[in-house]
Amino acid sequence: MTGQPFDTSVVIVGAGQAGLSVAFYLRRLGLDAGNDFVMLDRGPGTGGAWQFRWEALRLGYAHRVNDLPGMDELGLSFDTADRQAPAKDVVADYYAQYEQHYGLQVVRPANVTRVDGMMDGFTVSFDDGVGAQQVSTRILVNATGTWGAPFIPWYPGLDTFQGRKVHTSDYRDAEDFRGQRVAVVGGGTSAIGFLMELEKVAGEVTWFSRRPIEFLEEQELNIEAGSSSVRQQDEAARQGRALPSIVSTTGVPRSRRIQAAIDRGLLVAQPMFTRVEPHGVQLPDGRSLPVDAIIWATGFRPELRHLAPLKLREKAGGITVGQGASWRNSRVFFAGYGPAASTIGANRAGRTIARQVIATLSSLD
Ligand SMILES: Cc1cc2nc3c(=O)[nH]c(=O)nc-3n(C[C@H](O)[C@H](O)[C@H](O)COP(=O)(O)OP(=O)(O)OC[C@H]3O[C@@H](n4cnc5c(N)ncnc54)[C@H](O)[C@@H]3O)c2cc1C
């Protein structure tokens, strides 16, 4: 212990599945929410990234959504949740009850703009919608997810496109594309969800993917179960490389909805176009396909901009993380990062990270 006054021992940035899971285990290990640890989240409401997902998305459309640790104590489970209601509302509601039940006292809105290292800890700067604020802490847990860092791959002519360019994070409603010619790009369940929603609404829909789609035999994908995706994510994180796309390694489960769409011939992906033109895309055979809109369901990257002052990024393009702990700074932890970027992974990361946080704090006392 250095004697340096800190406002709190632990700051958790982000109150999605990963941040809430860390908070649950910290509390269980004896830390007091709002005092020993402080959670900051920039979202206006509960639900993490789920609160921003599109209206038509329902729980269980593709992947399993795992319960938060301790959610059974509230008599809640995503397995028995309403599957007719928008997932965004169900998750936001369950998380709200969870935060309240466990008294997690999340500060929101609190948009963390930067984290600076100081002697034996950090200064976390955030905007609470009224003005700039700061909190100092001995340990930082980053649980900011990926929703705020949408990824669109570069194609020649991309900037010349005159139609609508929409990423998954901007997609709201199929009605926005009524009667239009739409290109959907991406090989994952988001792209497939959009195709199914647009089927009867858009004028014409063409699906493009960088690689042939692998449809799995499972009805519901448990991202962790037997998946090489987690191993590849873990290897990249441990080597400080940029994380590979999760979609490219998981495959797509054959839920009943997806199987029905395959059977009616909807889910036939074309090889990627070679360039974007002002009013369409150029196909590999040189023909032009006119389109009014391109929907990029091409994934996300970890949102880490606010950590730039800590200089954690490696030359290889990523940050080195093993078991949720930063290799470069033993007081920084990453929840929901890389191999933990699923609801089950986030739960597990919460437990592992909380234990390490307590061990680190004990070593400082
Ligand atoms: C379309 C889509 C569907 C998915 N479906 C599933 C599924 O069915 N099952 C599954 O297991 N996984 C699914 N995933 C993966 C999913 O994102 C994770 O499982 C999990 O919900 C992510 O939790 P998280 O806490 O890591 O991130 P998030 O839920 O994104 O939470 C991060 C939080 O950090 C906050 N934040 C970010 N930056 C800052 C900042 N600078 N300052 C303050 N706060 C900040 C955000 O406001 C947010 O509340 C899906 C992902 C996508 C994109």
Side-chain angles (χ1 to χ4, degrees):
M1 179 102 169
T2 61
Q4 188 167 355
F6 284 95
D7 295 325
T8 186
S9 296
V10 187
V11 163
I12 303 172
V13 186
Q17 185 103 3
L20 292 177
S21 174
V22 175
F24 172 84
Y25 286 110
L26 285 180
R27 196 178 159 279
R28 196 150 95 171
L29 292 169
L31 297 199
D32 186 19
N35 184 21
D36 299 326
F37 70 90
V38 171
M39 298 189 79
L40 305 174
D41 193 287
R42 78 166 165 225
T46 53
W50 287 95
Q51 70 190 287
F52 303 112
R53 289 188 183 142
W54 57 101
E55 193 75 15
L57 185 68
R58 300 289 183 267
L59 283 179
Y61 262 16
H63 306 310
R64 181 188 165 83
V65 175
N66 287 267
D67 293 343
L68 279 159
M71 214 158 97
D72 52 345
E73 203 176 292
L74 288 80
L76 297 177
S77 171
F78 288 124
D79 291 342
T80 51
D82 186 349
R83 297 200 166 207
Q84 307 304 318
K88 66 199 280 285
D89 298 338
V90 177
V91 177
D93 175 36
Y94 279 25
Y95 282 14
Q97 294 188 52
Y98 186 86
E99 286 182 20
Q100 171 137 30
H101 180 80
Y102 287 109
L104 298 180
Q105 302 191 40
V106 179
V107 180
R108 58 166 67 87
N111 181 27
V112 174
T113 48
R114 61 183 289 142
V115 178
D116 290 281
M118 55 179 191
M119 177 101 77
D120 300 328
F122 309 93
T123 303
V124 179
S125 304
F126 63 97
D127 187 336
D128 66 359
V130 179
Q133 307 286 346
Q134 286 192 331
V135 56
S136 63
T137 179
R138 300 159 90 192
I139 290 187
L140 181 83
V141 178
N142 194 75
T144 48
T146 59
W147 188 255
F151 173 70
I152 295 183
W154 184 83
Y155 280 86
L158 185 61
D159 295 339
T160 66
F161 187 57
Q162 307 276 305
R164 291 174 65 196
K165 188 176 90 176
V166 174
H167 183 269
T168 302
S169 57
D170 313 310
Y171 180 92
R172 290 288 162 265
D173 193 340
E175 280 299 327
D176 296 341
F177 302 91
R178 178 162 287 281
Q180 296 187 356
R181 296 162 298 183
V182 184
V184 176
V185 184
T189 47
S190 297
I192 290 174
F194 297 150
L195 290 162
M196 290 195 270
E197 286 176 32
L198 292 164
E199 184 181 9
K200 295 211 166 72
V201 180
E204 193 178 303
V205 186
T206 313
W207 184 20
F208 293 96
S209 168
R210 259 191 317 159
R211 56 178 67 80
I213 311 301
E214 186 192 353
F215 288 105
L216 307 171
E217 289 314 313
E218 293 94 298
Q219 285 230 351
E220 194 179 54
L221 183 70
N222 181 337
I223 295 172
E224 291 227 311
S227 161
S228 65
S229 162
V230 173
R231 188 172 35 77
Q232 291 182 23
Q233 292 280 323
D234 193 38
E235 276 171 18
R238 285 177 186 277
Q239 292 167 9
R241 287 187 280 118
L243 299 173
S245 146
I246 294 189
V247 160
S248 64
T249 47
T250 52
V252 174
R254 274 176 206 265
S255 67
R256 276 205 293 276
R257 288 178 74 240
I258 290 178
Q259 185 60 54
I262 295 171
D263 293 345
R264 62 180 185 272
L266 175 70
L267 301 185
V268 181
Q270 307 297 323
M272 263 323 279
F273 45 76
T274 51
R275 63 178 300 121
V276 181
E277 299 172 335
H279 301 286
V281 295
Q282 190 179 78
L283 305 176
D285 64 8
R287 279 183 303 132
S288 290
L289 177 76
V291 296
D292 304 306
I294 305 178
I295 300 178
W296 297 89
T298 42
F300 298 81
R301 296 288 181 259
E303 187 166 5
L304 303 171
R305 283 181 296 263
H306 52 291
L307 302 182
L310 300 180
K311 299 195 179 347
L312 301 174
R313 202 171 280 284
E314 310 285 352
K315 286 204 178 75
I319 49 173
T320 310
V321 177
Q323 297 281 343
S326 161
W327 189 255
R328 287 202 173 258
N329 188 326
S330 60
R331 295 183 187 204
V332 180
F333 295 88
F334 290 92
Y337 182 80
S342 64
T343 48
I344 180 136
N347 285 356
R348 187 163 307 146
R351 192 173 52 225
T352 314
I353 289 170
R355 285 190 188 137
Q356 295 178 78
V357 166
I358 298 295
T360 308
L361 284 174
S362 314
S363 73
L364 301 176
D365 288 331

